[in-house]
Amino acid sequence: DEAVTTPLDWTGDHVSPDDILYFRGDNAYLWQLRGVHMNVLAYALTTYYVKSIDNLGLMEKLEDDTYFGNCCFNIDNRLVSRDLLDSIIEIYFLEKYLKLSSFKNLTVLDIGAGYGRLAHRIVNAFPNIEQCLCTDAFPVSTFISEYYLRFRNLEERAKVIPLDEIEEFLRNNTVDIALNIHSFPECKLSAIEWWLSVLSKYGVKYLMIVPNSDQLMTNDGLDFSPILENYGYKRIAKDPKYEDPVLRMYGLYPAYYFLFEHRQG
């Protein structure tokens, strides 16, 4: 359906051949060195912030490396990247509101999963997560994430579902939580509406969205919050990425996290 697959931002030239080879580098998948305050001081501030909220010990549990061009800094005697730091902060948002670590046989769906960074981190963080599924409308991302998760030996728990197979999968399997990290803002409204209709139809109870601002807007300035309401997704949380106001000014890529619950009627 072209209404779903016609891109807003992710056209054929959105990633270069080098981006595909070094998909964990500073590129469209994850800005690591571009933008305001995206420097070693911001990485240091964010690292110590993460350590201050890390009551589950994820900084010790999750390792980092420079594979596939990942931009790393050595801070406090360990390698850190935006891949690692963002993933941990996102996990703690889910832990705060949904007690992620206490779920049994949890299945998570990452919509617009990119190269699979969050799936890699979340299944390593929590053995109780049965599956983290990755899907993406950009075919190159489907290929890269499948390759990457296999490289990490996670293909049993972190699986890639091609977009044309996702509805069949949801028809036959239960998904507890859907994630959309900086992806819906890069989509047309028609694609967002398709996704919400599918999630609603198959009873996905929780949906986490990270937009590119403090509002639920696409990159061409359209509000997609009415679509969420139309399909029964009610907001239950909106938090800044950083609780500390200084970090909201100087930390790595400040953002806002939204959590929705699907309610019938």
Short mmCIF file of all heavy atoms in Angstrom, two decimals, residues 31-92:
data_model
loop_
_atom_site.label_atom_id
_atom_site.label_comp_id
_atom_site.label_asym_id
_atom_site.label_seq_id
_atom_site.Cartn_x
_atom_site.Cartn_y
_atom_site.Cartn_z
N TRP A 31 22.03 10.33 14.85
CA TRP A 31 22.96 11.45 14.90
C TRP A 31 23.82 11.31 16.16
O TRP A 31 23.30 11.21 17.27
CB TRP A 31 22.19 12.76 14.96
CG TRP A 31 21.52 13.13 13.66
CD1 TRP A 31 21.36 12.35 12.55
CD2 TRP A 31 20.93 14.40 13.35
NE1 TRP A 31 20.70 13.03 11.57
CE2 TRP A 31 20.42 14.30 12.03
CE3 TRP A 31 20.77 15.58 14.06
CZ2 TRP A 31 19.77 15.37 11.42
CZ3 TRP A 31 20.12 16.64 13.45
CH2 TRP A 31 19.63 16.54 12.15
N GLN A 32 25.12 11.34 15.96
CA GLN A 32 26.02 11.16 17.10
C GLN A 32 26.97 12.33 17.30
O GLN A 32 27.40 12.58 18.44
CB GLN A 32 26.81 9.86 16.93
CG GLN A 32 25.90 8.65 16.83
CD GLN A 32 26.66 7.35 16.89
OE1 GLN A 32 27.39 7.09 17.83
NE2 GLN A 32 26.49 6.52 15.88
N LEU A 33 27.31 13.02 16.23
CA LEU A 33 28.27 14.12 16.33
C LEU A 33 27.72 15.43 15.76
O LEU A 33 28.35 16.47 15.91
CB LEU A 33 29.57 13.76 15.61
CG LEU A 33 30.29 12.51 16.12
CD1 LEU A 33 31.47 12.17 15.22
CD2 LEU A 33 30.76 12.71 17.56
N ARG A 34 26.58 15.40 15.10
CA ARG A 34 26.01 16.60 14.50
C ARG A 34 24.92 17.17 15.40
O ARG A 34 24.29 16.46 16.16
CB ARG A 34 25.44 16.29 13.11
CG ARG A 34 24.22 15.38 13.13
CD ARG A 34 23.81 14.97 11.74
NE ARG A 34 24.64 13.88 11.24
CZ ARG A 34 24.51 13.36 10.03
NH1 ARG A 34 23.61 13.83 9.19
NH2 ARG A 34 25.30 12.37 9.64
N GLY A 35 24.72 18.47 15.29
CA GLY A 35 23.70 19.13 16.12
C GLY A 35 24.33 19.87 17.29
O GLY A 35 25.54 19.81 17.53
N VAL A 36 23.49 20.60 18.03
CA VAL A 36 23.97 21.43 19.13
C VAL A 36 24.46 20.56 20.28
O VAL A 36 23.80 19.59 20.67
CB VAL A 36 22.83 22.36 19.62
CG1 VAL A 36 23.29 23.22 20.79
CG2 VAL A 36 22.34 23.23 18.47
N HIS A 37 25.64 20.89 20.80
CA HIS A 37 26.22 20.23 21.98
C HIS A 37 26.47 18.73 21.78
O HIS A 37 26.57 17.99 22.77
CB HIS A 37 25.33 20.42 23.21
CG HIS A 37 25.01 21.84 23.52
ND1 HIS A 37 25.98 22.80 23.67
CD2 HIS A 37 23.81 22.47 23.70
CE1 HIS A 37 25.41 23.96 23.94
NE2 HIS A 37 24.10 23.78 23.96
N MET A 38 26.58 18.27 20.54
CA MET A 38 26.86 16.84 20.32
C MET A 38 28.37 16.65 20.31
O MET A 38 28.99 16.41 19.26
CB MET A 38 26.21 16.37 19.02
CG MET A 38 24.70 16.52 19.00
SD MET A 38 23.86 15.35 20.06
CE MET A 38 23.85 13.90 19.00
N ASN A 39 28.96 16.74 21.49
CA ASN A 39 30.41 16.69 21.62
C ASN A 39 30.79 15.88 22.86
O ASN A 39 29.92 15.36 23.56
CB ASN A 39 30.99 18.11 21.68
CG ASN A 39 30.32 18.94 22.77
OD1 ASN A 39 30.05 18.44 23.86
ND2 ASN A 39 30.02 20.20 22.48
N VAL A 40 32.08 15.79 23.12
CA VAL A 40 32.54 14.93 24.21
C VAL A 40 32.01 15.39 25.57
O VAL A 40 31.74 14.57 26.46
CB VAL A 40 34.09 14.85 24.22
CG1 VAL A 40 34.72 16.20 24.54
CG2 VAL A 40 34.57 13.77 25.18
N LEU A 41 31.81 16.71 25.76
CA LEU A 41 31.27 17.18 27.03
C LEU A 41 29.84 16.70 27.23
O LEU A 41 29.45 16.31 28.34
CB LEU A 41 31.34 18.71 27.09
CG LEU A 41 32.75 19.30 27.18
CD1 LEU A 41 32.69 20.82 27.18
CD2 LEU A 41 33.48 18.81 28.41
N ALA A 42 29.04 16.73 26.16
CA ALA A 42 27.66 16.24 26.25
C ALA A 42 27.65 14.74 26.53
O ALA A 42 26.80 14.26 27.30
CB ALA A 42 26.91 16.55 24.96
N TYR A 43 28.57 14.02 25.91
CA TYR A 43 28.66 12.58 26.19
C TYR A 43 29.03 12.33 27.65
O TYR A 43 28.48 11.42 28.29
CB TYR A 43 29.68 11.92 25.26
CG TYR A 43 29.11 11.53 23.92
CD1 TYR A 43 29.01 12.45 22.88
CD2 TYR A 43 28.65 10.24 23.69
CE1 TYR A 43 28.47 12.10 21.65
CE2 TYR A 43 28.11 9.87 22.46
CZ TYR A 43 28.03 10.81 21.45
OH TYR A 43 27.48 10.45 20.24
N ALA A 44 29.94 13.13 28.18
CA ALA A 44 30.34 12.96 29.58
C ALA A 44 29.18 13.29 30.52
O ALA A 44 28.88 12.52 31.46
CB ALA A 44 31.54 13.85 29.89
N LEU A 45 28.50 14.41 30.29
CA LEU A 45 27.35 14.77 31.11
C LEU A 45 26.29 13.68 31.09
O LEU A 45 25.74 13.28 32.13
CB LEU A 45 26.74 16.08 30.60
CG LEU A 45 27.36 17.39 31.07
CD1 LEU A 45 26.72 18.56 30.32
CD2 LEU A 45 27.16 17.58 32.57
N THR A 46 26.00 13.17 29.90
CA THR A 46 24.96 12.15 29.76
C THR A 46 25.37 10.85 30.41
O THR A 46 24.55 10.16 31.03
CB THR A 46 24.63 11.95 28.27
OG1 THR A 46 24.28 13.21 27.69
CG2 THR A 46 23.49 10.97 28.09
N THR A 47 26.65 10.50 30.31
CA THR A 47 27.14 9.27 30.95
C THR A 47 26.93 9.33 32.46
O THR A 47 26.41 8.38 33.07
CB THR A 47 28.63 9.06 30.63
OG1 THR A 47 28.79 8.90 29.22
CG2 THR A 47 29.17 7.83 31.34
N TYR A 48 27.32 10.45 33.08
CA TYR A 48 27.17 10.55 34.54
C TYR A 48 25.70 10.66 34.94
O TYR A 48 25.32 10.19 36.02
CB TYR A 48 28.00 11.72 35.07
CG TYR A 48 29.48 11.40 35.04
CD1 TYR A 48 30.34 11.99 34.12
CD2 TYR A 48 30.02 10.47 35.94
CE1 TYR A 48 31.69 11.67 34.08
CE2 TYR A 48 31.38 10.14 35.90
CZ TYR A 48 32.20 10.75 34.98
OH TYR A 48 33.53 10.43 34.93
N TYR A 49 24.88 11.24 34.07
CA TYR A 49 23.44 11.26 34.35
C TYR A 49 22.89 9.84 34.35
O TYR A 49 22.13 9.46 35.25
CB TYR A 49 22.71 12.12 33.29
CG TYR A 49 21.21 12.04 33.42
CD1 TYR A 49 20.53 12.79 34.37
CD2 TYR A 49 20.46 11.19 32.59
CE1 TYR A 49 19.15 12.72 34.50
CE2 TYR A 49 19.09 11.10 32.72
CZ TYR A 49 18.43 11.88 33.68
OH TYR A 49 17.07 11.78 33.81
N VAL A 50 23.25 9.06 33.34
CA VAL A 50 22.77 7.68 33.27
C VAL A 50 23.24 6.90 34.49
O VAL A 50 22.46 6.12 35.08
CB VAL A 50 23.23 7.00 31.96
CG1 VAL A 50 22.96 5.50 31.99
CG2 VAL A 50 22.52 7.64 30.76
N LYS A 51 24.47 7.10 34.89
CA LYS A 51 24.96 6.39 36.08
C LYS A 51 24.13 6.78 37.32
O LYS A 51 23.90 5.95 38.20
CB LYS A 51 26.44 6.71 36.31
CG LYS A 51 27.37 6.05 35.29
CD LYS A 51 28.80 6.53 35.43
CE LYS A 51 29.46 6.00 36.68
NZ LYS A 51 29.73 4.55 36.61
N SER A 52 23.65 8.02 37.38
CA SER A 52 22.89 8.48 38.54
C SER A 52 21.50 7.86 38.62
O SER A 52 20.91 7.80 39.71
CB SER A 52 22.77 10.01 38.53
OG SER A 52 21.82 10.45 37.56
N ILE A 53 20.94 7.41 37.49
CA ILE A 53 19.59 6.81 37.49
C ILE A 53 19.64 5.29 37.35
O ILE A 53 18.59 4.64 37.35
CB ILE A 53 18.71 7.40 36.37
CG1 ILE A 53 19.26 7.01 34.98
CG2 ILE A 53 18.59 8.92 36.51
CD1 ILE A 53 18.33 7.35 33.83
N ASP A 54 20.83 4.73 37.28
CA ASP A 54 20.99 3.33 36.89
C ASP A 54 20.86 2.37 38.07
O ASP A 54 21.83 1.71 38.48
CB ASP A 54 22.35 3.17 36.20
CG ASP A 54 22.54 1.79 35.59
OD1 ASP A 54 21.51 1.10 35.35
OD2 ASP A 54 23.69 1.39 35.35
N ASN A 55 19.64 2.28 38.63
CA ASN A 55 19.47 1.41 39.80
C ASN A 55 19.36 -0.07 39.45
O ASN A 55 19.34 -0.91 40.35
CB ASN A 55 18.25 1.85 40.62
CG ASN A 55 16.98 1.93 39.80
OD1 ASN A 55 16.82 1.21 38.81
ND2 ASN A 55 16.09 2.82 40.19
N LEU A 56 19.32 -0.41 38.16
CA LEU A 56 19.34 -1.82 37.75
C LEU A 56 20.72 -2.27 37.27
O LEU A 56 20.89 -3.42 36.86
CB LEU A 56 18.32 -2.06 36.63
CG LEU A 56 16.86 -1.81 36.98
CD1 LEU A 56 15.98 -2.00 35.75
CD2 LEU A 56 16.40 -2.75 38.10
N GLY A 57 21.68 -1.36 37.29
CA GLY A 57 23.05 -1.71 36.90
C GLY A 57 23.22 -2.00 35.43
O GLY A 57 24.08 -2.81 35.04
N LEU A 58 22.47 -1.30 34.57
CA LEU A 58 22.54 -1.59 33.14
C LEU A 58 23.84 -1.12 32.51
O LEU A 58 24.29 -1.69 31.51
CB LEU A 58 21.35 -0.95 32.41
CG LEU A 58 19.97 -1.45 32.83
CD1 LEU A 58 18.89 -0.84 31.95
CD2 LEU A 58 19.90 -2.98 32.77
N MET A 59 24.47 -0.10 33.09
CA MET A 59 25.75 0.37 32.54
C MET A 59 26.82 -0.71 32.67
O MET A 59 27.73 -0.79 31.85
CB MET A 59 26.21 1.65 33.23
CG MET A 59 25.49 2.90 32.75
SD MET A 59 25.99 3.44 31.09
CE MET A 59 27.52 4.29 31.46
N GLU A 60 26.73 -1.52 33.69
CA GLU A 60 27.68 -2.62 33.85
C GLU A 60 27.27 -3.82 33.00
O GLU A 60 28.12 -4.56 32.50
CB GLU A 60 27.77 -3.02 35.32
CG GLU A 60 28.33 -1.95 36.22
CD GLU A 60 29.75 -1.55 35.82
OE1 GLU A 60 30.54 -2.45 35.45
OE2 GLU A 60 30.05 -0.34 35.86
N LYS A 61 25.99 -4.01 32.84
CA LYS A 61 25.48 -5.19 32.14
C LYS A 61 25.61 -5.07 30.62
O LYS A 61 25.87 -6.06 29.93
CB LYS A 61 24.01 -5.39 32.52
CG LYS A 61 23.43 -6.72 32.09
CD LYS A 61 22.05 -6.91 32.70
CE LYS A 61 21.54 -8.32 32.44
NZ LYS A 61 20.21 -8.54 33.07
N LEU A 62 25.43 -3.86 30.09
CA LEU A 62 25.43 -3.64 28.64
C LEU A 62 26.77 -3.06 28.21
O LEU A 62 27.16 -2.00 28.69
CB LEU A 62 24.28 -2.70 28.24
CG LEU A 62 22.88 -3.14 28.69
CD1 LEU A 62 21.85 -2.10 28.26
CD2 LEU A 62 22.53 -4.51 28.12
N GLU A 63 27.42 -3.72 27.31
CA GLU A 63 28.75 -3.29 26.86
C GLU A 63 28.65 -2.46 25.59
O GLU A 63 27.63 -2.47 24.90
CB GLU A 63 29.64 -4.51 26.63
CG GLU A 63 29.88 -5.34 27.88
CD GLU A 63 30.77 -6.54 27.62
OE1 GLU A 63 31.05 -6.81 26.43
OE2 GLU A 63 31.19 -7.18 28.60
N ASP A 64 29.72 -1.75 25.28
CA ASP A 64 29.76 -0.97 24.05
C ASP A 64 31.01 -1.31 23.26
O ASP A 64 31.98 -1.88 23.79
CB ASP A 64 29.73 0.54 24.36
CG ASP A 64 28.87 1.30 23.38
OD1 ASP A 64 28.71 0.83 22.24
OD2 ASP A 64 28.36 2.37 23.75
N ASP A 65 30.98 -0.99 21.97
CA ASP A 65 32.12 -1.25 21.10
C ASP A 65 32.00 -0.36 19.87
O ASP A 65 31.01 0.36 19.70
CB ASP A 65 32.16 -2.74 20.68
CG ASP A 65 30.84 -3.22 20.09
OD1 ASP A 65 30.36 -2.58 19.13
OD2 ASP A 65 30.28 -4.22 20.58
N THR A 66 33.01 -0.40 19.03
CA THR A 66 33.06 0.48 17.85
C THR A 66 32.68 -0.24 16.57
O THR A 66 32.90 0.30 15.47
CB THR A 66 34.47 1.08 17.70
OG1 THR A 66 35.42 0.02 17.57
CG2 THR A 66 34.83 1.94 18.90
N TYR A 67 32.10 -1.42 16.65
CA TYR A 67 31.72 -2.16 15.44
C TYR A 67 30.80 -1.32 14.54
O TYR A 67 29.94 -0.59 15.01
CB TYR A 67 30.99 -3.46 15.80
CG TYR A 67 31.87 -4.53 16.40
CD1 TYR A 67 31.46 -5.22 17.54
CD2 TYR A 67 33.09 -4.86 15.85
CE1 TYR A 67 32.24 -6.21 18.10
CE2 TYR A 67 33.89 -5.84 16.40
CZ TYR A 67 33.46 -6.52 17.53
OH TYR A 67 34.26 -7.49 18.09
N PHE A 68 31.00 -1.46 13.25
CA PHE A 68 30.17 -0.84 12.22
C PHE A 68 30.14 0.68 12.35
O PHE A 68 29.13 1.33 12.07
CB PHE A 68 28.76 -1.41 12.23
CG PHE A 68 28.73 -2.92 12.21
CD1 PHE A 68 28.34 -3.64 13.34
CD2 PHE A 68 29.11 -3.62 11.07
CE1 PHE A 68 28.33 -5.03 13.33
CE2 PHE A 68 29.10 -5.01 11.06
CZ PHE A 68 28.72 -5.71 12.18
N GLY A 69 31.27 1.26 12.77
CA GLY A 69 31.42 2.71 12.79
C GLY A 69 30.84 3.42 13.99
O GLY A 69 30.74 4.65 13.98
N ASN A 70 30.45 2.69 15.03
CA ASN A 70 29.85 3.32 16.20
C ASN A 70 30.80 4.36 16.80
O ASN A 70 31.99 4.08 17.02
CB ASN A 70 29.53 2.25 17.25
CG ASN A 70 28.69 2.78 18.39
OD1 ASN A 70 27.92 3.71 18.22
ND2 ASN A 70 28.83 2.17 19.55
N CYS A 71 30.28 5.55 17.08
CA CYS A 71 31.08 6.64 17.64
C CYS A 71 31.13 6.48 19.16
O CYS A 71 30.11 6.65 19.83
CB CYS A 71 30.48 7.99 17.28
SG CYS A 71 30.39 8.32 15.52
N CYS A 72 32.29 6.16 19.68
CA CYS A 72 32.43 5.91 21.12
C CYS A 72 33.42 6.89 21.74
O CYS A 72 34.36 7.35 21.09
CB CYS A 72 32.93 4.48 21.36
SG CYS A 72 31.69 3.21 21.08
N PHE A 73 33.19 7.19 23.02
CA PHE A 73 34.11 7.97 23.82
C PHE A 73 34.46 7.15 25.06
O PHE A 73 33.62 6.42 25.58
CB PHE A 73 33.49 9.30 24.24
CG PHE A 73 33.25 10.24 23.11
CD1 PHE A 73 32.05 10.21 22.41
CD2 PHE A 73 34.22 11.15 22.73
CE1 PHE A 73 31.82 11.08 21.35
CE2 PHE A 73 34.00 12.03 21.68
CZ PHE A 73 32.80 11.99 20.99
N ASN A 74 35.68 7.31 25.53
CA ASN A 74 36.11 6.63 26.76
C ASN A 74 35.87 7.59 27.93
O ASN A 74 36.59 8.57 28.10
CB ASN A 74 37.59 6.25 26.67
CG ASN A 74 37.97 5.26 27.75
OD1 ASN A 74 37.49 5.33 28.87
ND2 ASN A 74 38.82 4.31 27.41
N ILE A 75 34.83 7.29 28.70
CA ILE A 75 34.45 8.16 29.82
C ILE A 75 34.30 7.30 31.07
O ILE A 75 33.65 6.25 31.03
CB ILE A 75 33.13 8.90 29.51
CG1 ILE A 75 33.34 9.82 28.29
CG2 ILE A 75 32.65 9.70 30.71
CD1 ILE A 75 32.06 10.41 27.73
N ASP A 76 34.92 7.74 32.13
CA ASP A 76 34.89 7.00 33.39
C ASP A 76 35.37 5.55 33.19
O ASP A 76 34.79 4.61 33.71
CB ASP A 76 33.48 7.02 33.98
CG ASP A 76 33.46 6.64 35.46
OD1 ASP A 76 34.49 6.81 36.13
OD2 ASP A 76 32.41 6.15 35.92
N ASN A 77 36.42 5.42 32.39
CA ASN A 77 37.09 4.13 32.15
C ASN A 77 36.23 3.10 31.44
O ASN A 77 36.40 1.90 31.65
CB ASN A 77 37.61 3.55 33.48
CG ASN A 77 38.66 4.42 34.11
OD1 ASN A 77 39.57 4.88 33.44
ND2 ASN A 77 38.51 4.68 35.41
N ARG A 78 35.31 3.58 30.58
CA ARG A 78 34.56 2.64 29.76
C ARG A 78 34.10 3.33 28.48
O ARG A 78 33.99 4.56 28.42
CB ARG A 78 33.36 2.08 30.50
CG ARG A 78 32.28 3.06 30.88
CD ARG A 78 30.94 2.35 31.01
NE ARG A 78 30.56 1.73 29.75
CZ ARG A 78 29.66 0.75 29.63
NH1 ARG A 78 29.06 0.30 30.70
NH2 ARG A 78 29.37 0.23 28.46
N LEU A 79 33.85 2.52 27.44
CA LEU A 79 33.35 3.06 26.19
C LEU A 79 31.87 3.34 26.28
O LEU A 79 31.10 2.52 26.82
CB LEU A 79 33.60 2.06 25.04
CG LEU A 79 35.03 1.88 24.55
CD1 LEU A 79 35.04 0.84 23.43
CD2 LEU A 79 35.61 3.20 24.05
N VAL A 80 31.46 4.50 25.78
CA VAL A 80 30.04 4.84 25.72
C VAL A 80 29.73 5.45 24.36
O VAL A 80 30.59 6.06 23.71
CB VAL A 80 29.62 5.84 26.82
CG1 VAL A 80 29.79 5.23 28.20
CG2 VAL A 80 30.38 7.14 26.71
N SER A 81 28.50 5.27 23.92
CA SER A 81 28.02 5.86 22.68
C SER A 81 26.60 6.35 22.89
O SER A 81 25.95 6.02 23.90
CB SER A 81 28.04 4.81 21.55
OG SER A 81 27.08 3.81 21.80
N ARG A 82 26.09 7.10 21.92
CA ARG A 82 24.68 7.50 22.01
C ARG A 82 23.77 6.28 21.91
O ARG A 82 22.72 6.23 22.55
CB ARG A 82 24.33 8.52 20.93
CG ARG A 82 22.93 9.07 21.11
CD ARG A 82 22.50 10.06 20.06
NE ARG A 82 21.05 10.20 20.12
CZ ARG A 82 20.30 10.68 19.16
NH1 ARG A 82 20.85 11.08 18.03
NH2 ARG A 82 18.98 10.75 19.31
N ASP A 83 24.16 5.29 21.13
CA ASP A 83 23.44 4.02 21.03
C ASP A 83 23.19 3.47 22.44
O ASP A 83 22.06 3.16 22.82
CB ASP A 83 24.27 3.06 20.18
CG ASP A 83 23.74 1.63 20.11
OD1 ASP A 83 23.26 1.10 21.14
OD2 ASP A 83 23.82 1.02 19.04
N LEU A 84 24.23 3.35 23.23
CA LEU A 84 24.12 2.79 24.57
C LEU A 84 23.34 3.70 25.51
O LEU A 84 22.41 3.26 26.19
CB LEU A 84 25.52 2.56 25.15
CG LEU A 84 25.57 2.05 26.59
CD1 LEU A 84 25.09 0.61 26.67
CD2 LEU A 84 26.97 2.19 27.18
N LEU A 85 23.69 4.99 25.54
CA LEU A 85 23.11 5.90 26.51
C LEU A 85 21.63 6.13 26.25
O LEU A 85 20.81 6.08 27.18
CB LEU A 85 23.88 7.23 26.51
CG LEU A 85 25.36 7.13 26.89
CD1 LEU A 85 26.07 8.45 26.64
CD2 LEU A 85 25.53 6.69 28.35
N ASP A 86 21.26 6.37 24.99
CA ASP A 86 19.84 6.56 24.68
C ASP A 86 19.03 5.31 25.01
O ASP A 86 17.92 5.38 25.54
CB ASP A 86 19.67 6.90 23.19
CG ASP A 86 19.75 8.40 22.92
OD1 ASP A 86 20.26 9.12 23.80
OD2 ASP A 86 19.32 8.83 21.85
N SER A 87 19.59 4.15 24.67
CA SER A 87 18.87 2.90 24.91
C SER A 87 18.58 2.71 26.39
O SER A 87 17.47 2.32 26.78
CB SER A 87 19.67 1.71 24.37
OG SER A 87 19.83 1.79 22.97
N ILE A 88 19.55 2.99 27.24
CA ILE A 88 19.36 2.82 28.68
C ILE A 88 18.31 3.80 29.20
O ILE A 88 17.43 3.43 30.00
CB ILE A 88 20.69 2.98 29.43
CG1 ILE A 88 21.63 1.81 29.10
CG2 ILE A 88 20.45 3.05 30.94
CD1 ILE A 88 23.00 1.91 29.73
N ILE A 89 18.36 5.05 28.76
CA ILE A 89 17.37 6.04 29.23
C ILE A 89 15.97 5.64 28.78
O ILE A 89 15.00 5.75 29.54
CB ILE A 89 17.74 7.45 28.73
CG1 ILE A 89 19.10 7.89 29.29
CG2 ILE A 89 16.67 8.46 29.15
CD1 ILE A 89 19.63 9.18 28.70
N GLU A 90 15.84 5.15 27.55
CA GLU A 90 14.54 4.70 27.04
C GLU A 90 14.02 3.50 27.85
O GLU A 90 12.83 3.41 28.18
CB GLU A 90 14.66 4.35 25.56
CG GLU A 90 14.85 5.57 24.67
CD GLU A 90 15.58 5.29 23.36
OE1 GLU A 90 15.86 4.11 23.06
OE2 GLU A 90 15.87 6.26 22.63
N ILE A 91 14.92 2.59 28.17
CA ILE A 91 14.54 1.42 28.98
C ILE A 91 14.03 1.86 30.35
O ILE A 91 13.03 1.34 30.86
CB ILE A 91 15.72 0.44 29.10
CG1 ILE A 91 15.96 -0.27 27.76
CG2 ILE A 91 15.47 -0.57 30.22
CD1 ILE A 91 17.26 -1.04 27.70
N TYR A 92 14.69 2.85 30.96
CA TYR A 92 14.27 3.30 32.29
C TYR A 92 12.93 4.03 32.24
O TYR A 92 12.17 3.98 33.23
CB TYR A 92 15.35 4.17 32.93
CG TYR A 92 16.37 3.34 33.67
CD1 TYR A 92 17.68 3.25 33.24
CD2 TYR A 92 16.00 2.61 34.80
CE1 TYR A 92 18.61 2.46 33.90
CE2 TYR A 92 16.92 1.82 35.48
CZ TYR A 92 18.22 1.75 35.03
OH TYR A 92 19.13 0.95 35.69
#
